[in-house]
Amino acid sequence: MSSISPSQTTVSPREIFTKPRVSDRIFRGVLNVMSFSSLAILTLIGSFLMLRGFQTFQSEGLHFITGFDWNSTVNDGVETSTFGLGSMLIGTLLISGTALVIGVPLSVLTALYLNFYAPMQIRKFMITILDLMAAFPSILYGLWGYFILMPMAEYWAKLLNKYLGWIPAFSVPQPAFTRSPFVAGLVLAIMIIPIITSVSREVFSQTPLDRIQAAYALGATKWKMIKTVVLPFGSGGVVGGAMLGLGRAMGETVAVYMVLNIAFSANLKVLYGVGGNVASMIVSRWGESTLLESKALLAAGFVLFMMTLVVNFLANFIVKRAIKSGK
Amino acid sequence: MSDEMKDGENMSTANVTGSKALSDVAANRMKDRMPGTTPIGTGLEARNIHAWFSKHLAVEDVSLDFNAGTVTALIGPSGCGKSTFIRTINRMHEFIPGAAMAGEVLLNGEDVYARGVDVTKIRLKIGMVFQKPNPFPSMTIGENVLSGLKLAQLKVANKDDLMEDCLERAGLWSEVKDRLGAHAGGLSGGQQQRLCIARSLAVNPKVLLMDEPCSALDPGSTLRIEETIHELSKTMTIIIVTHNMQQAARVSDYTAFFLSDGGPGKLIEVGPTSEIFSRPRDQRTENYVSGRFG
C-alpha cells in the first residue's frame, strides 16, 4: 500500500490505454459530429442575427434598447428611421410576468395534486394530457384565445379594474379592455403550465421519503407535511421550472400576435388593450418592412435570442442544482 | 474528549459476548425495575396482525401485548417482518402503495384502525424514531425539536422549557444548548438521532416505536441512545426493533423473536428478555440468540 502513496515519488501511476476498435471509433465520430451540430446551429443563428442587425446596433446604439419610438419612412428614395425596442421589451416582460403570476400557482397546485393526491389512473391520464398540451401548436392556443378566452377575459379584466383599479397596474386610461397584455398573459399561462407542472412534479417526487415519513410520524396532516417538507425541498425546482416557462413565454409569437393589440407604446397597465412583445412585433412588421427596418427586426431578433438563451441557461442551472442538492 | 473516553470504557464493559454474560446483563436490567409494574405509560395490544405488500403477505398473525412502561425488543433476521409489524402499530404501513393489513391494534383498549379515528392523533400518541436519522435539514436544532408542534398544530405554554426538557431527556441538551439556532445538518449521526428522539418526545407520545435506531451509528452513540431509552422507559412504553442481540439484552424488559421460513414473518416466541436469552422454549430462538444463524 505504501508504495503507491504520493510521498514516495519513485512510482508514478501507469497510463491506462484502451485501443478502441475501428467500428467504435467511427460510431464515436458520428456521435460527436451529431451532438455538436446543434451547438453549431445555435451559434450560426446567433451570429447571423448579430451580423445582419449590426448596422442597426451601430446607428441606434443604446437607444435601440431604451427608445420607445419605431419609425421608418421613405421620402424620394431616402429612408429616415428611428428604432427603439423599449416598449416591446417592456411588453415582453409584462406579458410573460402575467403568464407566470397566473401559471406558476396553477402548475404547483397541479403538481402537488398529481404527486400526492391523485389516484393512479387519474395521475397517468393527467400526465398524458399535460404532455399533449406541451406539444400543441401555439396557433391553436391563439385561435382559442381569440374566440373563446378573449370575451371572457374582457369581463374578468373589467371586474379586476372595477375592484382593484386603485392599483396602478390594474388601472386603464380609457376603457379599452380587449386585446390587452392580460389576455395575452392568460393564453401564455395556459401554454407554460405543462412545462412548469412537469418540472415541479419531477422535483417534488424527489423529496426524500424519510423526511416525509418523519413529518407523518409527528402527526402531520398531508397538507402540513407538504408545507413543511415538500415545498421547502422543491422550491428551487419550482423556480427553475418557472424560468423555463418564462423562456417559452418570452419567445412566444403566434399566440400573442393573435390576441394582442401590438403598438409601440410603453404600456405598463396590464388590462389596457395596448402592448406587444418582441417576437410578435417582428412577425407583425416583417411583411411590410423597408430595408433598414428589416435589419432592425433582425437586431430585435438577436436581442430576443440572447434573452431566451440567458433565461433558459439560468433555468437549467437552477433545476439541475435543485434536483441534485436536495437541500 | 473525556466524554468519548467514558463512552469507550462503558462500551468495553457492556460489549460482552456469550449467552451467559448476556443474560447476566439482562438480569441486571430486570432487577432495576420489574416490567409491567409501573402504572405510567399506556398499554398497547396488537391482535392477529397480518400485513401485506400488494399480494405478498409479510407478517402473519402476530399478537403481542406491550405493558405500560416496558421496553420490548423485537429481534430476528432481516426480512422477518419486524419493521413491517411496528409500522402497522402507528399506521405508517398504509403509506406504502398496495399495502394492506388485518387485525387490531388497541391503544388503551381502543382500535387505532377503527372508523372515525383521526390517524394524525394516533401518530401523536405513538411516536416513531427511524433507522436513519432524519431531522428536517432546513430547520435549526431548536425548530426541529418543536417541529411536531407545528406539524400537528399543538399549542404549548412555554416552548423554551419544552425544548430544553425534550433535549435533556434525549440526552442531547448539554451538547447543543449553545447552538440551538444552528442547522441540524451539522450534527453528528448520533446527535441527529437523539435530536429525532427529542423531536418525537415534544408531542408527548405514550408509546415510542424505534425501528433499528442505532443501526447507522457508532458504538459510542449507540450507548448514549440506549441510556436514553432506559430513561424514557420510566415514562412511556417503548418498542424497539434491533438486529443487535446484545442491544436487545441491554435495553429491553421483554423480547419477541420473529422469523420467516421463506414465507411471511411470524412471531416465534416472546417472553422476559432474560428468559429468551438464557432458556428459550423454541429451538429456533435458541439457534438465533446463540448466533447459529441470522
Side-chain angles (χ1 to χ4, degrees):
Chain A
M1 282 299 278
S2 61
S3 62
I4 58 162
S5 76
S7 59
Q8 300 191 346
T9 49
T10 49
V11 179
S12 58
R14 284 186 65 178
E15 199 175 326
I16 294 170
F17 183 73
T18 316
K19 188 170 184 271
R21 288 197 189 185
V22 177
S23 59
D24 193 28
R25 275 155 72 185
I26 292 171
F27 186 57
R28 184 190 293 195
V30 170
L31 291 187
N32 272 340
V33 171
M34 291 298 170
S35 56
F36 276 98
S37 63
S38 53
L39 183 66
I41 290 168
L42 194 69
T43 318
L44 284 174
I45 291 175
S47 357
F48 160 78
L49 292 170
M50 178 72 204
L51 283 175
R52 288 298 181 90
F54 190 69
Q55 199 187 334
T56 309
F57 287 124
Q58 217 171 20
S59 61
E60 297 290 337
L62 203 60
H63 175 263
F64 188 66
I65 301 294
T66 55
F68 294 112
D69 42 348
W70 185 283
N71 291 304
S72 133
T73 43
V74 184
N75 279 332
D76 305 331
V78 180
E79 195 173 344
T80 52
S81 64
T82 168
F83 299 119
L85 200 56
S87 53
M88 289 299 125
L89 290 174
I90 287 176
T92 304
L93 294 180
L94 185 66
I95 295 167
S96 10
T98 309
L100 284 186
V101 167
I102 300 166
V104 169
L106 268 172
S107 307
V108 170
L109 293 178
T110 308
L112 288 176
Y113 171 72
L114 289 176
N115 268 19
F116 296 103
Y117 291 90
M120 190 54 90
Q121 265 82 10
I122 292 185
R123 179 187 310 177
K124 279 184 186 157
F125 177 71
M126 289 284 289
I127 290 171
T128 316
I129 295 290
L130 282 165
D131 288 346
L132 203 74
M133 266 179 83
F136 245 37
S138 53
I139 181 73
L140 299 181
Y141 287 102
L143 283 170
W144 177 75
Y146 186 87
F147 285 108
I148 307 295
L149 194 63
M150 213 152 68
M152 286 159 80
E154 197 183 335
Y155 175 69
W156 301 335
K158 280 176 182 160
L159 276 184
L160 273 176
N161 177 251
K162 189 174 171 191
Y163 293 106
L164 295 172
W166 49 273
I167 301 171
F170 291 138
S171 62
V172 285
Q174 301 157 32
F177 289 103
T178 37
R179 302 178 69 100
S180 65
F182 173 66
V183 179
L186 263 178
V187 175
L188 280 186
I190 293 160
M191 294 177 67
I192 63 177
I193 280 172
I195 177 81
I196 305 180
T197 306
S198 155
V199 173
S200 306
R201 233 173 42 75
E202 181 63 29
V203 184
F204 290 156
S205 69
Q206 309 271 335
T207 313
L209 189 64
D210 60 351
R211 278 181 225 167
I212 295 178
Q213 292 193 338
Y216 278 137
L218 288 166
T221 57
K222 202 169 222 176
W223 157 239
K224 277 283 178 183
M225 183 282 289
I226 288 171
K227 201 174 135 203
T228 316
V229 177
V230 178
L231 289 181
F233 176 83
S235 57
V238 172
V239 172
M243 298 277 287
L244 280 175
L246 181 65
R248 173 153 193 207
M250 286 195 329
E252 183 45 49
T253 313
V254 169
V256 174
Y257 178 63
M258 293 200 65
V259 297
L260 196 62
N261 181 19
I262 294 165
F264 287 92
S265 132
N267 176 26
L268 278 170
K269 304 195 184 313
V270 72
L271 302 178
Y272 186 51
V274 168
N277 72 356
V278 178
S280 59
M281 182 278 286
I282 296 175
V283 168
S284 70
R285 305 292 296 185
W286 188 255
E288 56 206 51
S289 62
T290 58
L291 182 67
L292 275 180
E293 186 173 8
S294 73
K295 284 181 178 166
L297 291 176
L298 285 165
F302 181 72
V303 172
L304 181 62
F305 174 83
M306 290 311 291
M307 277 165 62
T308 323
L309 211 61
V310 168
V311 167
N312 277 301
F313 262 128
L314 269 177
N316 271 320
F317 176 71
I318 294 173
V319 171
K320 286 218 180 84
R321 207 188 47 175
I323 287 182
K324 210 165 71 184
S325 77
K327 260 201 296 201
Chain B
M1 192 63 192
S2 63
D3 267 6
E4 275 174 34
M5 300 249 306
K6 208 177 76 194
D7 283 358
E9 278 170 23
N10 284 345
M11 276 314 295
S12 60
T13 51
N15 220 347
V16 285
T17 49
S19 57
K20 177 75 177 72
L22 267 179
S23 66
D24 282 352
V25 176
N28 286 336
R29 167 98 182 86
M30 298 290 291
K31 247 186 285 169
D32 199 26
R33 185 173 48 78
M34 284 307 288
T37 54
T38 25
I40 36 183
T42 301
L44 183 70
E45 296 161 63
R47 286 194 190 152
N48 310 106
I49 298 291
H50 295 64
W52 289 266
F53 293 105
S54 298
K55 293 261 156 25
H56 171 70
L57 182 63
V59 174
E60 186 176 12
D61 201 16
V62 173
S63 295
L64 269 174
D65 285 3
F66 305 95
N67 289 336
T70 60
V71 180
T72 305
L74 309 185
I75 60 168
S78 299
C80 68
K82 314 177 291 281
S83 294
T84 307
F85 170 71
I86 69 162
R87 291 168 68 88
T88 61
I89 292 176
N90 68 338
R91 296 189 55 174
M92 291 295 282
H93 177 63
E94 67 209 50
F95 281 121
I96 296 153
M101 68 82 67
E104 286 179 318
V105 177
L106 304 177
L107 183 67
N108 268 358
E110 282 176 47
D111 187 4
V112 306
Y113 282 90
R115 266 179 197 278
V117 166
D118 182 351
V119 64
T120 61
K121 297 229 166 70
I122 293 300
R123 298 199 189 103
L124 287 178
K125 288 180 193 153
I126 310 178
M128 189 165 202
V129 175
F130 297 84
Q131 184 171 0
K132 202 177 129 211
N134 55 0
F136 299 120
S138 57
M139 295 183 191
T140 66
I141 293 171
E143 284 168 355
N144 259 287
V145 177
L146 299 178
S147 58
L149 301 176
K150 217 174 99 192
L151 284 165
Q153 289 164 301
L154 301 177
K155 297 254 186 304
V156 286
N158 194 330
K159 287 183 176 183
D160 290 341
D161 284 356
L162 178 71
M163 190 193 298
E164 180 175 346
D165 179 56
C166 294
L167 285 168
E168 191 69 64
R169 285 162 75 199
L172 191 62
W173 174 249
S174 58
E175 290 161 60
V176 299
K177 65 178 181 218
D178 298 325
R179 47 174 174 150
L180 293 169
H183 276 261
L187 297 174
S188 75
Q191 288 172 327
Q192 286 189 14
Q193 191 65 304
R194 276 178 281 149
L195 178 61
C196 292
I197 294 176
R199 183 177 64 183
S200 9
L201 296 179
V203 295
N204 193 24
K206 308 292 179 237
V207 178
L208 191 60
L209 309 174
M210 306 181 101
D211 189 359
E212 296 182 47
C214 304
S215 65
L217 305 181
D218 63 281
S221 306
T222 300
L223 194 79
R224 297 297 306 273
I225 290 191
E226 289 179 7
E227 286 167 359
T228 303
I229 292 171
H230 189 77
E231 281 303 306
L232 293 179
S233 65
K234 291 170 185 165
T235 54
M236 56 176 61
T237 310
I238 294 178
I239 305 172
I240 178 172
V241 169
T242 178
H243 273 121
N244 181 336
M245 279 179 280
Q246 292 151 7
Q247 179 169 66
R250 287 192 297 265
V251 301
S252 70
D253 306 306
Y254 292 96
T255 296
F257 175 58
F258 281 61
L259 188 63
S260 147
D261 51 1
K266 288 175 192 155
L267 175 67
I268 303 299
E269 185 173 353
V270 61
T273 298
S274 58
E275 280 179 30
I276 293 289
F277 281 95
S278 56
R279 42 182 191 285
R281 289 177 305 247
D282 196 290
Q283 184 60 38
R284 289 169 293 182
T285 316
E286 165 91 52
N287 290 347
Y288 185 74
V289 299
S290 61
R292 252 169 264 165
F293 81 100

